[in-house]
């Protein structure tokens, strides 16, 4: 699968809730970053599920270059 379109230059911090599932946008075209809004329809992309193992703030990747999806690994800083 190819990389999604860059949707931002920094991660988005979200207070996730233990046991809840989130669907990270992999295509980069969602207007509800970092989450899927269905805009990927008709493409090769599908959202990546993330289930929170505890309630905490996590930083979701928006540049779509992370090697640890859906979380930010600092790849947005690599030029
Ligand atoms: Fe991007 Fe669904 S809108 S994966």
């Amino acid at each position: 699968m190819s990389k999604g379109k860059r949707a931002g230059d920094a991660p988005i911090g979200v207070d996730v809730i233990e046991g809840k599932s989130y669907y990270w946008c992999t295509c980069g075209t969602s207007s509800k970053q970092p989450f899927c809004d269905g805009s990927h329809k008709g493409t090769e992309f599908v959202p990546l599920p993330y289930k929170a193992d505890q309630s905490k703030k996590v930083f979701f990747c928006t540049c779509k270059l992370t090697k640890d999806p859906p979380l930010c690994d600092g790849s947005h800083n690599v030029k």
Side-chain angles (χ1 to χ4, degrees), residues 24-30 35-40 45-47:
W24 182 66
C25 169
T26 59
C27 73
T29 61
S30 171
F35 302 121
C36 175
D37 72 352
S39 297
H40 64 270
F45 294 96
V46 291

Side-chain angles (χ1 to χ4, degrees), residues 23-58:
Y23 295 88
W24 182 66
C25 169
T26 59
C27 73
T29 61
S30 171
S31 61
K32 295 186 177 158
Q33 292 297 326
F35 302 121
C36 175
D37 72 352
S39 297
H40 64 270
K41 282 205 172 63
T43 72
E44 66 182 300
F45 294 96
V46 291
L48 180 71
Y50 170 85
K51 187 167 184 179
D53 58 3
Q54 57 180 291
S55 296
K56 62 180 178 181
K57 181 170 285 242
V58 298

